[in-house]
Structures are given as structure tokens and as C-alpha cells.
Amino acid sequence: MNPLYDRLFGIHAGKDTPFLHLAGGETITHDAFLRMAAKLAHVLVAQGLAPGDRLAAQIEKSPEALALYAACAQAGVVFLPLNTAYTEGELSYFIENSGAKLVVGDPGRAEDLKTMVESLGAALMTLGGDGSGTLMAEAEGQPEAFETVARSEDDLAAFLYTSGTTGRSKGAMLSQKNLLSNAETLLAHWRFTAEDVLLHALPIFHTHGLFVATNILLLSGGAMIFLPKFDLDQMIAQMPRATSLMGVPTFYTRLLGDARFDRDLTKGMRLFISGSAPLLAETHVRFEERTGHRILERYGMTETNMNTSNPYDGERRAGTVGLALPGVEVKVCDPETGAELPRGEVGILEVRGDNVFQGYWQMPEKTAAELRTDGFFITGDLATQGEDGYVTIVGRGKDLIISGGFNIYPKEIELVLDDAPGVLESAVIGAPHPDFGESVIAVVVPEAGASPDEAALAALCKKELARFKHPRKFVVLPELPRNTMGKVQKNVLREAYQGAFEG
Ligand code: MLC
Ligand code: AMP
């Protein structure tokens, strides 16, 4: 028995129904997908991977990349997908920290990665967005069936790294039960069936695109229009073939920015879901005016999968993230004492359920700081819950910027800038951005007599940090605003620069 593989994948063996529709017109059936995954599972075993070993993948989105996820499930290997934007330095941390035995990277970066990967005791294979590279070459002669490795619901299925306020990324350990329970809840809640065709334009290295979108469609037996990334023209072209879309708010503001996106184009759609970042109430309203559809907003995290959702049938209330999902408990607590607050008061949201992760890999102190012994996870999000149960996220208790659905922890950028020549200290903040929701501003204080060069700071960020984390604006100040305790007042900076990306 291997619940994750059996329930998501194995049930489709022999089915010649469509699973993936590709932009070029090709369709991959459920059965063909499983046969590809089985071949890959043989490759993993041939590489010496045993159940519980980690496989790190930094690869472009493709059917083969998704089949690698299925292969890991079938072989009992822990899947660790990584953002394709990560630099070599960022990547080496994840490989070392996770103890990954096999790394699958892009063929174009193989030369650069090989030495680093091997020095960390791992092996490197390659997979390109077009299926090129050593992984599929090795899979070529392998059998199309693989004896599924027995696993239990409590075994780990995936690691997803999430950054933290100290700047060190933590590997969130997700069990089979975490993934399956949430997928089953969401399938029922959002009424997915084998008739559904999901327009899939999210990356598959995060919770949203991999677990929320893919796992639900696998469970339902439906199909996905599998686009390599969000491309406005492709979205418009493919929408008439789809029944549903899951996206970050940037998807919806970009669609609304195009006059072709209207009631007629969306008439075959039954559901638009938004999450990963706050959807402006204004976007919700404009969307309904334009299309007649009300976006269904939900709220989740890497550590917890999905926690709350607006209802399918009831009121989808703009500006809220809806109600606790069945099987998930939520409460709003005092940040200092942890005591539950009365309804309507603002506090830190805590959540509990089968969806909540198993802890951070080899970081017991960080796990203890965020995951209570009674099972409640401290999300770090500031929220209120109304008498009727609707939850509204009103801010963040954690120093976090969310740009286009990607999380950016200011500390990581500050650590890079503070090391730059001529920089005394820095403070990184987020400011509203019309396309990405929020974007990054770096406030830099020079050392006495120094005048740091913006181009040099930008170049340093480029070397050290993934593109989406790069500050889009630098500000030089003689000193940072501080309170009487000496703590940097980021709220003062946020207020001062809140219009930086407007107009
Ligand atoms: C790309 N860039 C970004 C960016 N995405 N910069 C900041 N923030 C982002 N999110 C960079 C590009 O590298 C490019 O650099 C420049 O910005 C402009 O790129 P673009 O072509 O406009 O961007 P695009 O490739 O279209 O990507 C935008 C996007 C994408 C919003 C479609 O970022 C995306 O798919 N985001 C989804 C993220 C996601 O899945 N989050 C879920 C996390 S799970 P240059 O050098 O060309 O200027 C989670 C839990 C939950 O949060 O609840 O779901
Ligand atoms: P991640 O660590 O990438 O999983 O991001 C999780 C964070 O995204 C949460 O802690 C929230 O701050 C934010 N988030 C996710 N969904 C929503 C939403 N619908 N509204 C507001 N914030 C959200």
C-alpha cells in the first residue's frame, strides 16, 4: 500500500482519458503519464535512491517534470521541487540542508552545477523543459510498469523550503496524509469532477501549482491545460477549452487588463480561484462586473496546504478568505500569550488539522517555535474572524513581502546588502505594486564617508539572489528610523515609500 500513489495516480492505470493538454496541441492520457512515471521510478532506483531519500529538482515545468513527482511517489522518494529562479548559491544550501541524494537540474546549467552538486555528495541528472537531458535518456529503455513501493500515510512525501525571518530557509516536511487529506477536502469543497479541465499556468515548484492544482485534478480524474507559464495570449486562447482556473492575484489583474477577457470568453468556465497573496476587493468587484463570475478566494501556506476557503455555493465575500475548511480548526490568538481572542479582534491566526505539516527538517527549535505541542501551527498572519466564521487576513505578524505570489523574506536581502562595501546597514520593505501586488524597496545607510553605488548593489543582489527577490528600487538614507528600544521602524519606511511604484 502507498496511499499517495494509489489514490492520486494508480487509480488511473489503463485509462486513456486526457490528463495533460499541451500548448502545442498534444494530449497525454492518464495512462501514458503513468507509464512515463514508472520508467522514471526505475531510473531513480537505478540511481540508488531508497524510500525516504530526497530528490531535489530545479527544472522547467513540463509533463516529464510532473511525472518525476509521480515517480517519487511511486518509489517512496521525498520530492523536493525548487524555484527555477534560484541562484547556484541558494541551490547549494537546499541540497546540503536536505541531504538530497539526487539533483535534477536544467541541461543548460549542468556544467555550472555539476561540481557543486558532487561536492555535496549528490549525483546530478538533467531535464529540460522539452524533455531533453540525461533523465529521459536513461528512462528510454526502462519498463513501463514499476512495483509501487509500500508507504504509509505518515511517511514523508515532499519537502518544500520556505524562508524565514532569520533569512535561513527551512524545509517543511509534508507527509502523504498532509497532501491527501487536503486534496480530498478541496476536491469536494470546490466540486471538481472528471469533467473538469483546469487551466494550469502556475509553476509546479510550490504548494499552489503542485499540490492544490495538480493533486485535485489527479483525484478528480479530470484534465489540465498545462501551460509552461502565465502568458496572457495563451490564457485568452485556451480559456474557452477550460472549466476552471487557479491563480495568484497577478493572474486576475493581468487578465482584467486585457479587453479580450470578457463575459463571452469565460462563459464555459465554472470556477476561478485565487490565493497565495491578498486579492484586492476592488479586483473581485471588477472581475464580477466584467465576467459575471465571483472569484473564490482561499488561504493557505506551504506548511499547511489550504486552511480556509470562501464557499462554493454561499457568499464569496470580497476581502475575506472565507471559512475554515472541513477538518481544519482555526483560531485567532493573542500574539504575546497565545490565548484565543474573542471574535472580531485582531490577532495571530493559528490552524490545526491533518493538513498541518510535520515540522521543519532538522530544525527542532524552529519547529517548536511555530508548531505547538497541541498541533496548532502559528501562521504569523494577522487576522480577524467574524461571528459568522469568515476570516479576514488584515496583515502579517512576520516580516514578509509577497510579490506575484512569491514569498520574499527581507532579512535574506538585508544580509546581502549589509555585506556590501560602503554599506553600514539596510532595511528592506515591500510597497504596493500594480502588477505584483507588492514589490521590494531596499533602504541603505552608507558607512561614514562612503556612497554606495546602486549598480554595484544591484549586481551583488543579482549574483546572490533569485531574480524575483531583487529590489526594484534603492533608497539611500543617512540613518534608519528607530523606536526608543532601537528597533528599526519598518512601518515608518513603508508609509514613506508606499507610493513608490504607483503611476
Ligand atoms: C517573475 N519575476 C518576478 C516575479 N515573477 N519578479 C517579482 N515577483 C514575481 N512574482 C521577474 C521576472 O524574472 C522578470 O525579470 C520580471 O520579473 C518580469 O517578469 P514577467 O514576465 O512580468 O513575469 P512572469 O514570468 O509573467 O511571472 C509573473 C507571475 C509569476 C506572477 C505570472 O511570478 C507566477 O507565476 N507567480 C506565481 C507564484 C506562485 O505559484 N505562488 C504560489 C506559492 S504557494 P526581468 O529580469 O525580465 O525583469 C503559496 C501557498 C498558497 O503561497 O496559499 O498558495
Ligand atoms: P507560502 O509560504 O509561500 O506558502 O505563503 C503563505 C503566505 O501567503 C501566508 O502565510 C499568507 O501570508 C499568504 N497568503 C496565502 N493566501 C492568501 C490570501 N488569500 N490572502 C492573503 N494572504 C495569503
Side-chain angles (χ1 to χ4, degrees):
M1 206 183 69
N2 176 331
L4 187 72
Y5 184 82
D6 297 346
R7 273 147 65 186
L8 288 186
F9 303 100
I11 47 166
H12 303 304
K15 279 193 203 162
D16 61 3
T17 46
F19 175 42
L20 300 176
H21 298 293
L22 308 184
E26 192 194 340
T27 291
I28 297 174
T29 65
H30 281 102
D31 192 59
F33 178 78
L34 292 186
R35 285 185 276 116
M36 186 182 348
K39 288 177 166 200
L40 288 172
H42 282 288
V43 176
L44 303 189
V45 171
Q47 287 290 317
L49 290 185
D53 284 345
R54 274 78 59 203
L55 178 153
Q58 190 194 35
I59 47 182
E60 293 299 332
K61 183 176 173 184
S62 67
E64 292 82 1
L66 198 61
L68 188 58
Y69 165 51
C72 285
Q74 194 167 22
V77 169
V78 177
F79 188 54
L80 194 172
L82 292 162
N83 194 321
T84 46
Y86 288 143
T87 62
E88 194 181 320
E90 290 169 316
L91 198 60
S92 72
Y93 171 81
F94 300 122
I95 298 168
E96 183 170 21
N97 184 267
S98 66
K101 258 197 177 169
L102 180 64
V103 177
V104 183
D106 192 84
R109 287 176 77 186
E111 289 289 302
D112 298 339
L113 296 182
K114 197 169 179 350
T115 314
M116 179 268 284
V117 167
E118 289 178 353
S119 73
L120 295 172
L124 178 70
M125 295 191 88
T126 56
L127 175 63
D130 55 0
S132 59
T134 58
L135 188 72
M136 296 316 290
E138 284 291 319
E140 187 63 27
Q142 300 288 347
E144 293 193 330
F146 178 88
E147 192 168 336
T148 305
V149 170
R151 302 300 274 167
S152 86
E153 279 206 330
D154 294 323
D155 283 319
L156 296 181
F159 278 14
L160 288 191
Y161 274 78
T162 106
S163 249
T165 42
T166 57
R168 274 195 77 205
S169 285
K170 305 164 286 186
M173 299 186 286
L174 294 152
S175 69
Q176 291 206 353
K177 189 197 273 175
N178 294 149
L179 303 184
L180 276 172
S181 66
N182 210 238
E184 277 162 359
T185 301
L186 296 174
L187 172 91
H189 208 71
W190 296 339
R191 314 267 173 90
F192 275 87
T193 71
E195 303 303 308
D196 269 296
V197 180
L198 180 83
L199 185 48
H200 193 302
L202 288 161
I204 53 168
F205 45 69
H206 277 314
T207 298
H208 198 163
L210 187 62
F211 300 142
V212 186
T214 305
N215 285 357
I216 294 180
L217 265 290
L218 279 163
L219 263 188
S220 76
M224 302 194 276
I225 301 171
F226 207 57
L227 301 182
K229 63 182 288 248
F230 181 95
D231 174 274
L232 195 51
D233 288 335
Q234 276 290 341
M235 297 295 284
I236 304 270
Q238 300 289 348
M239 188 101 25
R241 301 171 69 195
T243 62
S244 45
L245 172 68
M246 294 185 197
V248 295
T250 302
F251 281 24
Y252 294 111
T253 48
R254 286 188 181 182
L255 285 167
L256 283 170
D258 194 303
R260 293 171 295 175
F261 184 70
D262 61 11
R263 204 170 274 262
D264 190 50
L265 191 80
T266 59
K267 65 176 188 284
M269 294 287 285
R270 71 168 183 91
L271 187 57
F272 291 92
I273 300 175
S274 177
S276 307
L279 182 78
L280 294 177
E282 180 212 324
T283 309
H284 195 280
V285 171
R286 280 178 55 215
F287 198 90
E288 186 175 15
E289 282 168 3
R290 179 83 71 84
T291 65
H293 293 278
R294 284 178 79 81
I295 298 176
L296 186 156
E297 185 171 8
R298 62 35 170 204
Y299 157 81
M301 283 184 80
T302 299
E303 288 90 336
T304 64
N305 294 288
M306 300 304 101
N307 298 307
T308 73
S309 170
N310 272 279
Y312 191 84
D313 284 329
E315 186 194 356
R316 297 181 193 171
R317 198 176 294 169
T320 82
V321 293
L323 306 155
L325 284 163
V328 180
E329 292 168 81
V330 305
K331 59 181 184 177
V332 174
C333 298
D334 184 304
E336 304 300 328
T337 65
E340 188 169 358
L341 294 169
R343 291 279 166 116
E345 288 192 21
V346 174
I348 296 281
L349 193 67
E350 298 194 10
V351 301
R352 177 163 75 178
D354 284 346
N355 54 319
V356 173
F357 76 140
Q358 306 302 302
Y360 297 114
W361 170 249
Q362 291 183 338
M363 291 188 182
E365 303 83 24
K366 289 198 191 299
T367 303
E370 295 182 40
L371 190 57
R372 297 189 188 281
T373 46
D374 65 2
F376 272 98
F377 176 68
I378 307 167
T379 63
D381 288 308
L382 291 169
T384 62
Q385 189 173 26
E387 289 297 341
D388 55 5
Y390 278 75
V391 175
T392 306
I393 307 291
V394 297
R396 294 178 201 132
K398 51 194 172 189
D399 193 13
L400 164 69
I401 300 166
I402 304 184
S403 167
F406 286 144
N407 285 9
I408 301 166
Y409 277 87
K411 190 74 192 172
E412 246 188 286
I413 305 166
E414 288 161 2
L415 288 173
V416 170
L417 294 174
D418 291 351
D419 269 352
V423 173
L424 178 67
E425 59 175 350
S426 63
V428 168
I429 53 165
H433 187 280
D435 185 31
F436 290 130
E438 283 182 288
S439 200
V440 181
I441 300 179
V443 181
V444 183
V445 178
E447 280 171 353
S451 45
D453 172 34
E454 188 176 313
L457 294 178
L460 187 64
C461 290
K462 185 171 176 202
K463 180 167 164 276
E464 303 284 337
L465 301 165
R467 171 74 183 105
F468 67 90
K469 300 177 190 170
H470 297 179
R472 283 170 193 256
K473 188 176 174 61
F474 286 91
V475 175
V476 178
L477 287 185
E479 60 183 14
L480 297 175
R482 291 182 190 274
N483 65 15
T484 49
M485 309 288 288
K487 194 169 181 293
V488 176
Q489 292 171 303
K490 287 203 169 177
N491 55 328
V492 173
L493 292 173
R494 280 189 208 105
E495 211 162 296
Y497 298 106
Q498 65 171 333
F501 298 114
E502 275 163 18

